[in-house]
Amino acid sequence: SADKIIASPSTITGSIGIFGMLMTYEESLAYLGVYTDGVQTTEFGFTSPSKTLPDSLGNLIQRSIERGYEKFITLVADNRNMTLEQVDSIAQGRVWIGSTALELGLVDQLGTMKEALAAAAELAELDNYEVTYIQRTLSPKELFIQELLNNTAVWLVETQIQQSTSPLIGMIRSVVRDIDGITRLNDPKATYALCLECKL
């Protein structure tokens, strides 16, 4: 557990949750006239995504997910001095901006990277220290998107169209927001779940 959590006011915080997904495509195969069959020795047998997931196995997977979620929120509750009910009410996979996370008790204070480093040094009882930033080398695709975003942002500011009611400008702003969101995705396995109702 962390001794202190510092977040910037606009950072995305939370995502306390767990989910599982198992895709089957028996209906797609049936549409093409392809069917499969087989024999299993237990009610939990599931050997192919070309078959419907049995209710017994689906319930087993669901219980496993729920146990994992309970462990997750218990860990948060123990380390943030909250009850399970309090954590559950702000968890369920939702995300919050830093300022809201502070109000909810998920972080200890708002601050910058400089302030976070100073707090870490104080906790480690360090008077003299050096900071080295290690950054991952961006791929050509990532560099292109970054440059595109930078140029687009400059263009929007210089032409002062942020408040424009033009449908075209609104569409451009929407595209920029979507691209900006994509550049923040950094899961090693490139697996994401997008909530269309979460308020950031």
Side-chain angles (χ1 to χ4, degrees):
S1 64
D3 294 313
K4 193 171 191 178
I5 299 178
I6 300 176
S8 68
S10 60
T11 191
I12 296 178
T13 308
S15 191
I16 303 170
I18 179 173
F19 75 97
M21 182 171 57
L22 187 61
M23 182 180 68
T24 63
Y25 46 84
E26 68 279 3
E27 293 184 6
S28 298
L29 290 175
Y31 178 79
L32 298 173
V34 178
Y35 301 90
T36 63
D37 200 354
V39 177
Q40 60 193 42
T41 57
T42 72
E43 61 177 322
F44 299 110
F46 178 71
T47 58
S48 171
S50 63
K51 298 179 181 179
T52 301
L53 182 70
D55 290 339
S56 56
L57 183 56
N59 292 334
L60 182 64
I61 294 174
Q62 180 62 37
R63 287 197 295 271
S64 176
I65 292 173
E66 291 172 356
R67 280 198 302 272
Y69 177 71
E70 186 175 353
K71 288 181 180 179
F72 197 164
I73 63 174
T74 298
L75 183 64
V76 175
D78 291 343
N79 287 278
R80 299 305 300 172
N81 296 318
M82 302 169 70
T83 65
L84 287 176
E85 291 74 18
Q86 288 175 319
V87 176
D88 183 55
S89 68
I90 59 176
Q92 301 178 39
R94 288 171 292 186
V95 295
W96 314 92
I97 60 172
S99 55
T100 303
L102 178 63
E103 296 173 2
L104 297 175
L106 293 177
V107 301
D108 297 306
Q109 73 177 70
L110 299 179
T112 62
M113 175 65 78
K114 182 178 180 180
E115 291 169 323
L117 291 170
E122 182 180 353
L123 289 170
E125 299 181 354
L126 297 176
D127 294 324
N128 299 312
Y129 60 92
E130 294 182 359
V131 178
T132 301
Y133 292 93
I134 301 175
Q135 296 183 331
R136 180 175 62 87
T137 302
L138 298 180
S139 68
K141 179 180 178 181
E142 291 170 326
L143 287 171
F144 170 76
I145 294 177
Q146 184 182 68
E147 187 66 22
L148 176 64
L149 288 174
N150 290 339
N151 290 338
T152 303
V154 170
W155 178 72
L156 289 173
V157 172
E158 290 180 346
T159 54
Q160 298 182 353
I161 60 172
Q162 295 92 330
Q163 305 301 321
S164 173
T165 58
S166 166
L168 176 60
I169 299 305
M171 183 175 65
I172 292 175
R173 286 200 297 265
S174 176
V175 170
V176 171
R177 283 195 301 269
D178 290 343
I179 294 177
D180 183 53
I182 292 174
T183 61
R184 297 183 185 184
L185 302 179
N186 59 1
D187 184 82
K189 295 184 179 180
T191 303
Y192 307 97
L194 176 63
C195 175
L196 300 178
E197 298 182 1
C198 296
K199 296 181 180 179
L200 301 181

